[in-house]
Amino acid sequence: MLRIATANVNGIRAAHRRGFGDWLAARDCDVVALQEVRAQADKLPAGAFGDYHVALDTGTIPGRNGVAVLTRHVPDAVRTWAGAALVGARQPDRVPAPDRVPLARGLGPFAAQGRYLEVDLSDAPLTIACLYLPKGGLPAELQLTERMREAPDGGARYARKMGFMSAFARYLVRTRRAAAAAGREFLLMGDLNIAHTRQDLAAWRRNQRHDGFLPEERDWFGRQLSPRTLVDVVRRLHPNDDGPYSWWSWLGQSFANDSGWRLDYHLATPRLARAAVRSAVDREFRGRRLSDHSPVVVDYDLP
């Protein structure tokens, strides 16, 4: 049995102050994918990742983005888009050097932003990919000043997100096929900043013209899934449920009322998806929220 989690920590230092280290020790996961680490290597809190081996790509902008994959065992391989990952382990003589992979057209501007990392596990035939997809914004025609918290940008953030998604779709096909050719299952986890269906957003009616739930974003998400390519694991386990949501605003009563968004996903190759036996969203740990996102944990009963 493999217990695998994904969590957007919204700053590893802030998450530690809320109890992330205790959650990590208590949850006993075999693999944890983290997004928005938001700390350069020399700014990480002591024992930031517990007793795990860590592959970490902080990106080049301090205080922004940053992804990590924590594993019990030193992985067979680590791949990044910029070749700038920090890899640490209890067995330093076995640490693999990160490989820089060829990028799909359009991903170059994002390569050094700390948005993507993948590892090949050494204790299971599985490739783990961790993604923090850009948040984006609204197209220019939907940017009404009186309804926006941020200044209108003429659709620049929207175009950036759509460009990333188009390029990443090409990369995703390539890396998934590479895993299959190597005899490995493939699992993409992370904060995708899209609620795919009405079941994935509590207030879907009033958010149909909101970034993260735009028709074109949802259509892109749907095109990444199929019974032969990638399966939404948590939705497979909870086909008729609203949610389970994984993000709630800090404002108002969103969390108390469970008025959230499902933004954090496990997308697995079909055989791996069928091996998933249970999932949970850890809304709180010892009465505290670790982040505005909550960890999504899945148990896989691999043969």
Side-chain angles (χ1 to χ4, degrees):
M1 186 79 70
L2 279 179
R3 175 163 292 170
I4 302 178
T6 183
N8 179 323
V9 292
N10 198 4
I12 190 65
R13 290 166 288 191
H16 263 276
R17 290 193 294 270
R18 299 185 184 108
F20 173 78
D22 292 334
W23 173 85
L24 189 63
R27 205 55 169 96
D28 197 32
C29 295
D30 297 286
V31 180
V32 183
L34 302 178
Q35 306 86 47
E36 285 204 275
V37 174
R38 290 190 177 187
Q40 300 302 106
D42 61 345
K43 302 296 184 183
L44 292 169
F49 305 115
D51 201 29
Y52 286 87
H53 170 90
V54 56
L56 169 70
D57 190 344
T58 65
T60 58
I61 307 173
R64 297 285 300 277
N65 307 333
V67 290
V69 177
L70 316 183
T71 56
R72 290 197 186 280
H73 306 281
V74 177
D76 283 343
V78 176
R79 290 179 291 276
T80 73
W81 288 347
L86 168 71
V87 184
R90 290 167 293 167
Q91 301 161 283
D93 57 321
R94 294 186 54 209
V95 175
D99 294 322
R100 186 181 184 278
V101 298
L103 296 181
R105 178 171 45 86
L107 286 178
F110 303 95
Q113 292 186 7
R115 293 189 176 278
Y116 184 84
L117 181 68
E118 64 185 52
V119 306
D120 292 339
L121 299 187
S122 59
D123 54 330
L126 175 58
T127 293
I128 298 286
C130 177
L131 172 68
Y132 177 52
L133 197 146
K135 183 178 184 300
L138 291 172
E141 64 271 17
L142 295 182
Q143 293 194 7
L144 305 177
T145 304
E146 65 275 14
R147 297 183 181 178
M148 297 179 64
R149 293 180 180 174
E150 301 172 328
D153 66 353
R157 289 186 294 270
Y158 168 82
R160 176 171 169 263
K161 182 176 184 179
M162 297 304 293
F164 179 95
M165 293 192 303
S166 177
F168 183 72
R170 293 189 290 271
Y171 178 83
L172 184 58
V173 170
R174 179 192 302 169
T175 195
R176 176 179 53 79
R177 288 177 174 172
R184 291 180 173 272
E185 299 297 322
F186 182 83
L187 176 61
L188 172 67
M189 292 185 287
D191 176 4
L192 271 61
N193 270 311
I194 299 171
H196 180 208
T197 73
R198 294 177 179 180
Q199 291 174 278
D200 301 320
L201 173 55
W204 65 266
R205 288 180 177 84
R206 59 182 168 86
N207 280 289
Q208 294 179 79
R209 292 161 70 88
H210 191 289
D211 52 296
F213 197 61
L214 296 172
E216 55 268 40
E217 294 174 314
R218 297 167 58 201
D219 177 69
W220 175 88
F221 197 119
R223 284 186 276 112
Q224 311 316 307
L225 307 178
S226 83
R228 298 178 60 127
T229 55
L230 292 174
V231 175
D232 182 344
V233 173
V234 174
R235 180 56 63 219
R236 179 181 179 275
L237 292 171
H238 302 273
N240 301 314
D241 296 343
D242 289 336
Y245 308 124
S246 62
W247 179 88
W248 302 262
S249 171
W250 289 112
L251 303 175
Q253 297 298 309
S254 294
F255 185 75
N257 296 332
D258 197 23
S259 183
W261 296 58
R262 192 166 79 98
L263 301 177
D264 305 271
Y265 295 89
H266 288 231
L267 305 182
T269 41
R271 182 171 175 268
L272 179 62
R274 290 193 296 270
V277 294
R278 67 184 66 86
S279 69
V281 174
D282 291 355
R283 282 172 49 93
E284 297 177 295
F285 179 72
R286 297 175 181 169
R288 298 191 69 185
R289 296 175 65 183
L290 302 176
S291 164
D292 52 350
H293 295 253
S294 291
V296 180
V297 185
V298 178
D299 288 340
Y300 294 89
D301 187 10
L302 293 177

